[in-house]
């Protein structure tokens, strides 16, 4: 009898864990929609401003993701010698500089569409969104 109860408890626990994992699957579309909603609200963007800025942000993120993929590949293995490590470090540094160049370029493009003050608020809001998402807490309130 104890075996049957134990088996039943284990099956129910396993079923609950599987269901909980299904609910936590990452959806890029939902993430992007949540981010855009948060940024729009936090930066006080109008619909017209959002329509001008978010295509630029999506384009910037697309270019950055390509570089993040390369950085991820670099981080997977450690070279066997110092020369190989030096080459990886130089590549890593070069890619981080390229990420910042992309940001700078797109920040300039955004400032052609909306005020610098709005771009500043967008940058801050995006940072707060990502920070909150990584910690598992949804960012609250309007901060500047």
């Amino acid at each position: 009898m104890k075996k049957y109860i134990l088996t039943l408890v284990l099956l129910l626990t396993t079923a609950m864990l599987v269901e909980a994992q299904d609910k936590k699957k990452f959806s890029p579309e939902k993430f992007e929609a949540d981010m855009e909603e948060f940024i729009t609200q936090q930066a006080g963007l109008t619909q017209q401003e959002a329509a001008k800025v978010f295509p630029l942000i999506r384009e910037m993120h697309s270019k950055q993701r390509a570089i993040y993929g390369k950085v991820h590949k670099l981080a997977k293995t450690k070279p066997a010698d110092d020369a190989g490590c030096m080459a990886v470090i130089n590549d890593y540094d070069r890619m981080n500089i390229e990420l910042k160049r992309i940001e700078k370029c797109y920040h300039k493009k955004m400032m052609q569409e909306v005020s610098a003050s709005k771009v500043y608020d967008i940058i801050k809001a995006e940072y707060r969104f990502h920070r909150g998402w990584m910690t598992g807490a949804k960012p609250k309130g309007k901060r500047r």
Side-chain angles (χ1 to χ4, degrees):
M1 183 69 169
K2 287 183 182 180
K3 285 184 182 180
Y4 293 118
I5 292 174
L6 183 59
T7 303
L8 181 62
V9 169
L10 287 173
L11 285 173
L12 288 173
T13 304
T14 303
M16 288 173 26
L17 288 173
V18 168
E19 184 179 333
Q21 286 177 346
D22 286 344
K23 289 181 182 178
K24 292 188 178 190
K25 285 187 179 175
F26 178 72
S27 167
E29 296 81 17
K30 181 172 178 1
F31 177 83
E32 188 173 289
D34 288 348
M35 181 184 66
E36 289 182 9
E37 178 185 342
F38 183 81
I39 291 172
T40 300
Q41 185 258 332
Q42 292 292 300
L45 298 177
T46 65
Q47 286 183 339
Q48 295 80 12
E49 290 170 331
K52 292 176 183 177
V53 169
F54 285 118
L56 293 172
I57 292 173
R58 285 190 289 272
E59 189 177 318
M60 176 180 72
H61 288 167
S62 175
K63 289 183 179 184
Q64 288 175 323
R65 271 192 301 277
I67 294 172
Y68 288 136
K70 293 175 185 176
V71 170
H72 182 70
K73 283 182 183 177
L74 280 178
K76 281 189 173 184
T77 58
K78 180 179 176 182
D81 59 358
D82 275 354
C85 288
M86 186 184 302
V88 168
I89 292 168
N90 288 334
D91 287 345
Y92 179 78
D93 290 343
R94 184 180 44 76
M95 286 183 225
N96 277 312
I97 290 168
E98 183 59 25
L99 286 168
K100 286 300 175 186
R101 281 189 187 132
I102 291 169
E103 270 188 12
K104 183 178 181 179
C105 173
Y106 278 90
H107 290 162
K108 284 182 180 180
K109 288 180 181 183
M110 284 185 246
M111 285 188 286
Q112 292 173 351
E113 301 297 331
V114 297
S115 70
S117 176
K118 290 279 184 163
V119 173
Y120 177 85
D121 291 342
I122 290 166
I123 293 167
K124 290 297 201 181
E126 184 177 9
Y127 173 80
R128 282 194 308 274
F129 178 82
H130 286 286
R131 180 101 172 151
W133 187 82
M134 293 298 286
T135 61
K138 195 161 190 175
K140 298 175 188 171
K142 186 167 184 166
R143 297 181 208 155
R144 293 191 183 210

